[in-house]
Amino acid sequence: MISQKAKYALRALVALSRTRTGATMMIGEISREQAIPKKFLEQILLELKRAGIVMSLRGRSGGYALLKAPEEVTFGEVLRLIDGPVAPLPCLSKIAYRRCEDCQDETSCEVRHVFERVALATRGVLDSTTLADALKLEDMPI
């Protein structure tokens, strides 16, 4: 399960993706539109700015804008930035691997084998789905 912080980050980025190229959105506007607490959104946007995903401008026409095209930002990138590794078990993490304490042998662990398939499928979807894709999906019927 993703954190509320990651969900808010993705919602803010999708909102910024809807703006025309070069346009900015004020924090208050994103906060109202996406129902994200303003103080929490400030922290999230600062983290996204440090990672080079968004930029901020001061002044009358200030606000936040995407630094990258919506086609270049994947859900996987954002989730890893905000929540860390995308792995259901510590022994499946690529960047924060840790052997499960109760595991005798990873190569014969049936639980690991099943969740390895889950992790691969999940990463495949998250790493191939961009902000632009999310905008297209909202117009498609389920």
Side-chain angles (χ1 to χ4, degrees):
M1 182 164 33
I2 70 170
S3 69
Q4 190 66 42
K5 183 178 179 182
K7 189 174 178 183
Y8 284 162
L10 289 165
R11 285 178 27 199
L13 290 170
V14 168
L16 289 171
S17 296
R18 286 190 193 104
T19 63
R20 70 184 193 288
T21 305
T24 61
M25 286 182 81
M26 300 297 283
I27 287 182
E29 186 181 0
I30 300 168
S31 172
R32 279 188 307 280
E33 182 182 303
Q34 297 297 318
I36 302 171
K38 191 174 176 181
K39 285 289 185 192
F40 198 20
L41 180 59
E42 289 172 357
Q43 295 169 11
I44 292 166
L45 289 171
L46 184 59
E47 204 166 328
L48 294 171
K49 182 179 174 182
R50 284 189 197 123
I53 297 173
V54 301
M55 66 175 190
S56 64
L57 297 172
R58 294 179 183 223
R60 254 185 59 194
S61 60
Y64 281 85
L66 288 175
L67 257 178
K68 298 179 176 182
E71 297 81 12
E72 296 174 2
V73 181
T74 67
F75 272 56
E77 173 186 6
V78 176
L79 284 177
R80 285 182 189 89
L81 173 69
I82 302 296
D83 283 352
V86 179
L89 297 171
C91 63
L92 292 171
S93 175
K94 289 182 177 184
I95 58 174
Y97 170 86
R98 192 178 78 243
R99 186 176 178 90
C100 295
E101 294 174 18
D102 59 347
C103 186
Q104 299 295 325
D105 178 22
E106 286 181 1
T107 59
S108 64
C109 178
E110 297 84 1
V111 173
R112 184 180 198 276
H113 293 306
V114 171
F115 280 98
E116 184 173 28
R117 291 176 60 206
V118 170
L120 289 171
T122 301
R123 286 183 195 126
V125 171
L126 294 173
D127 292 336
S128 66
T129 303
T130 66
L131 297 174
D133 294 328
L135 293 176
K136 293 174 197 168
L137 291 173
E138 70 184 0
D139 295 332
M140 298 175 85
I142 294 176

